Amino acid sequence: EVQLLESGGGLIQPGGSLRLSCAASGFTFSSYAMTWARQAPGKGLEWVSAISVSGSNTYYADSVKGRFTISRDNSKNTVYLQMSSLRVEDTAVYYCAKDRSSSPRSAMDVWGQGTTVTV
Amino acid sequence: EIVLTQSPGTLSLSPGERATLSCRTSQTVSNNYLVWYQQKPGQAPRLLIYDTFSRATGIPDRFSGSGSGTDFTLTISRLEPEDFAVYYCQLFGSSPPWTFGQGTKVEIK
């Protein structure tokens, strides 16, 4: 079964840092791009960041550029989101998602259950 | 940045009725990388439609996607009780950010 399990969320003061992890299983992790999206309380979805299969190409929303860093460890089947200089407006459920292909420019066909970050 | 505008904000329908959801882009889209997701309360989104027309694995054929240019549509031919949810479109343009629309809530009338 294809699964994504996020962890690392919590309560953090403004200006603080947090690292989210997403452990993947049930598919060949190194063959797919990965994405982070978020959803503030009572709001819609926001695309946050994506990473290529090798990790050499990364993409960010303007709202997090320069503060968040996406990375992956294909040996551990895990994708990370390092968040720094956190703001109140970063409060959200953060979802990890698998892209349909090796390109980050593709639909997300598997989603984790989300991890909550409260700033 | 391409902006996606979904309408209506809320659609009140009865089971068995047809639902038509709109997603309009602020610029003409030259590819077909328009995606639709369904989200129920307390759950993660689920992929319904990708590349404008293609149903994701396990999605019933009452869901269909269409459109081109700046106007895209998700149609649910006959609403089932489990279809009442929020629906989001997303466009994968030539460069990020790959933003979502603001969502359409389909509620029971």
Side-chain angles (χ1 to χ4, degrees), chain A residues 6-115:
Chain A
E6 301 99 332
S7 60
L11 178 64
I12 188 78
Q13 296 283 342
S17 298
L18 211 55
R19 187 177 83 157
L20 306 183
S21 300
C22 172
S25 60
F27 64 99
T28 305
F29 179 75
S30 59
S31 296
Y32 295 92
M34 297 294 293
T35 291
W36 285 96
R38 68 185 181 183
Q39 188 167 36
K43 303 297 184 182
L45 297 169
E46 180 184 11
W47 177 85
V48 173
S49 182
I51 188 167
S52 61
V53 292
S54 67
S56 58
N57 294 303
T58 57
Y59 310 86
Y60 299 94
D62 288 345
S63 58
V64 306
K65 199 173 293 182
R67 301 187 299 121
F68 289 12
T69 302
I70 190 171
S71 61
R72 65 190 294 162
D73 186 335
N74 286 342
S75 69
K76 294 182 178 180
N77 290 352
T78 300
V79 62
Y80 304 96
L81 187 68
Q82 178 68 48
M83 305 184 296
S84 60
S85 302
L86 282 161
R87 304 168 180 169
V88 171
E89 54 265 34
D90 295 319
T91 295
V93 174
Y94 284 73
Y95 293 103
C96 165
K98 167 188 168 291
D99 293 335
R100 281 192 66 250
S101 76
S102 60
S103 168
R105 197 180 162 208
S106 61
M108 291 89 83
D109 62 351
V110 180
W111 294 65
Q113 86 291 348
T115 187

Side-chain angles (χ1 to χ4, degrees), chain B:
Chain B
E1 178 180 335
I2 298 177
V3 176
L4 277 61
T5 301
Q6 292 187 240
S7 62
T10 301
L11 199 51
S12 299
L13 295 168
S14 301
E17 289 193 292
R18 181 184 188 91
T20 303
L21 286 67
S22 172
C23 178
R24 181 163 292 178
T25 62
S26 60
Q27 301 173 28
T28 298
V29 174
S30 58
N31 60 38
N32 284 324
Y33 293 173
L34 197 286
V35 178
W36 292 93
Y37 302 92
Q38 176 194 68
Q39 188 179 33
K40 297 179 181 179
Q43 296 185 18
R46 178 173 73 145
L47 176 64
L48 296 177
I49 302 287
Y50 63 94
D51 296 350
T52 302
F53 311 102
S54 302
R55 271 187 301 276
T57 304
I59 301 303
D61 60 8
R62 65 180 181 272
F63 291 92
S64 62
S66 63
S68 64
T70 60
D71 292 307
F72 298 84
T73 300
L74 174 70
T75 301
I76 311 171
S77 59
R78 288 173 51 90
L79 282 164
E80 297 288 338
E82 61 268 27
D83 299 337
F84 292 92
V86 180
Y87 294 83
Y88 295 94
C89 60
Q90 184 187 25
L91 177 68
F92 289 90
S94 57
S95 60
W98 295 306
T99 54
F100 293 90
Q102 82 277 20
T104 289
K105 181 180 182 180
V106 178
E107 65 175 22
I108 300 177
K109 186 175 181 180

